Amino acid sequence: MMKSLQLHANNIRKSIIDMIYSSKSGHPGGSLSAVEILTYLYFKEMNIDPQNDKKQDRDRFVLSKGHAAPVLYATLAERGYFEKDKLNSLRKLYSPLQGHPDSKKLPGVDVSTGSLGQGISNAVGIALGAKIDNSDVRVYSVLGDGELQEGLVWEAFMAAAHYKLDNLVAIIDNNGLQIDGKNEDVMNIYSLKDKLKAFNFNVLEVDGHSFEEIEKAFDNARNTKGLPTVIIAKTIKGKGVSFMENEAGWHGNAPSLEQRNIAIEELQSKGV
């Protein structure tokens, strides 16, 4: 199973590079860092059906860091929600693959996101609604670590704990960088573990590129009752492409043709 997940992850990374190169615009760094997280969610964890993307009992996913739309689009295409050839229409006029996810235009997108902090707030509302309906629906939301500088995030966290939303799992893509540099230099967010424990969350820390650790964390979350879970996933911005890794400058830049070719060659050489 893990080898299959790694194959999907590598395909998704190649799709991210190609679609951002094609559009000459997009956010590769934070898309590449979240690949293993979304791969595990869509291919192992969530109750979903690409052939029936509106079924009522499906689990919900909210990409709170909506600018990382390429990782969501590439994952949805890899999972079979739409044909992969549509990926190269990213950010182009009239394309359903806009710069931020639009739930009215693309199958598999549960919530339109982009304004940081509002995605996790939507996720909390969906999880609360599921509780009120006595539904088994689970809700997952991926946040950027720079996004945690938004006060709205902490209001959402406070509500999640107050209403004991144990059907909610927030995953923080903790790659340590945002568009202006290191998180702690822009506005320090640490210690995340201490802060989130104080907010009465079940707090788990994992290597965000290890499927084994990700699996254990999601199993823990499913077995936790009475508390929402947050997974702090330590990741590498630009993961998988040597010249993009740990470089804040690749937050929102598209590769040239030469850089695209180097990136694809590196990903193909991983032998997956």
Side-chain angles (χ1 to χ4, degrees):
M1 182 63 187
M2 295 305 174
K3 187 173 183 180
S4 173
L5 290 174
Q6 190 57 57
L7 175 62
H8 289 306
N10 207 42
N11 289 340
I12 289 166
R13 281 198 165 89
K14 286 185 282 189
S15 292
I16 289 169
I17 295 298
D18 271 337
M19 65 198 296
I20 294 177
Y21 165 71
S22 177
S23 72
K24 304 296 187 287
S25 173
H27 294 79
S31 294
L32 293 168
S33 63
V35 168
E36 280 77 14
I37 297 166
L38 268 74
T39 299
Y40 191 88
L41 282 168
Y42 277 87
F43 286 90
K44 183 76 185 293
E45 174 68 12
M46 294 197 299
N47 169 29
I48 52 174
D49 180 1
Q51 306 308 313
N52 183 13
D53 69 296
K54 297 299 184 185
K55 70 171 188 164
Q56 282 299 108
D57 67 342
R58 74 189 186 281
D59 290 338
R60 307 303 204 270
F61 175 77
V62 183
L63 184 66
S64 196
K65 57 171 207 166
H67 58 277
V71 69
L72 177 57
Y73 298 156
T75 303
L76 290 173
E78 182 76 10
R79 188 65 174 83
Y81 279 85
F82 54 86
E83 294 299 321
K84 286 188 179 182
D85 59 9
K86 188 178 290 186
L87 291 174
N88 286 335
S89 71
L90 174 69
R91 286 177 170 247
K92 294 177 180 174
L93 193 62
Y94 307 121
S95 169
L97 279 69
Q98 291 299 300
H100 296 83
D102 188 336
S103 63
K104 294 182 179 179
K105 293 184 178 179
L106 195 67
V109 176
D110 290 315
V111 176
S112 301
T113 55
S115 296
L116 297 181
Q118 293 186 5
I120 183 61
S121 302
N122 272 273
V124 169
I126 296 167
L128 179 57
K131 282 287 187 183
I132 292 171
D133 288 343
N134 292 313
S135 167
D136 291 330
V137 166
R138 293 182 64 77
V139 184
Y140 301 86
S141 182
V142 170
L143 301 93
D145 46 11
E147 184 177 4
L148 302 184
Q149 293 159 356
E150 296 282 352
L152 185 59
V153 169
W154 297 94
E155 293 182 53
F157 285 165
M158 184 165 54
H162 178 79
Y163 291 109
K164 299 180 172 58
L165 300 182
D166 52 18
N167 59 341
L168 173 72
V169 183
I171 307 103
I172 298 170
D173 181 15
N174 185 200
N175 60 44
L177 296 170
Q178 55 191 108
I179 191 169
D180 291 324
K182 293 182 179 178
N183 298 328
E184 56 264 42
D185 293 338
V186 178
M187 182 62 68
N188 198 359
I189 59 174
Y190 303 109
S191 161
L192 289 179
K193 182 177 181 180
D194 293 337
K195 286 182 172 73
L196 289 158
K197 279 189 172 294
F199 270 67
N200 208 26
F201 268 72
N202 172 38
V203 183
L204 307 171
E205 295 180 296
V206 303
D207 175 349
H209 302 303
S210 167
F211 286 120
E212 290 80 6
E213 291 191 27
I214 292 170
E215 180 174 55
K216 289 177 182 177
F218 282 123
D219 287 347
N220 181 300
R222 282 185 174 276
N223 291 320
T224 296
K225 305 303 177 186
L227 296 175
T229 292
V230 63
I231 299 172
I232 303 171
K234 184 61 182 173
T235 61
I236 297 171
K237 200 176 187 81
K239 174 69 174 177
V241 179
S242 61
F243 61 86
M244 291 185 180
E245 289 190 354
N246 284 319
E247 293 290 339
W250 284 104
H251 177 87
N253 285 329
S256 65
L257 176 58
E258 181 182 4
Q259 290 168 327
R260 175 264 173 204
N261 291 342
I262 293 170
I264 295 298
E265 184 177 348
E266 286 186 2
L267 291 168
Q268 288 175 336
S269 72
K270 302 207 182 284
V272 180

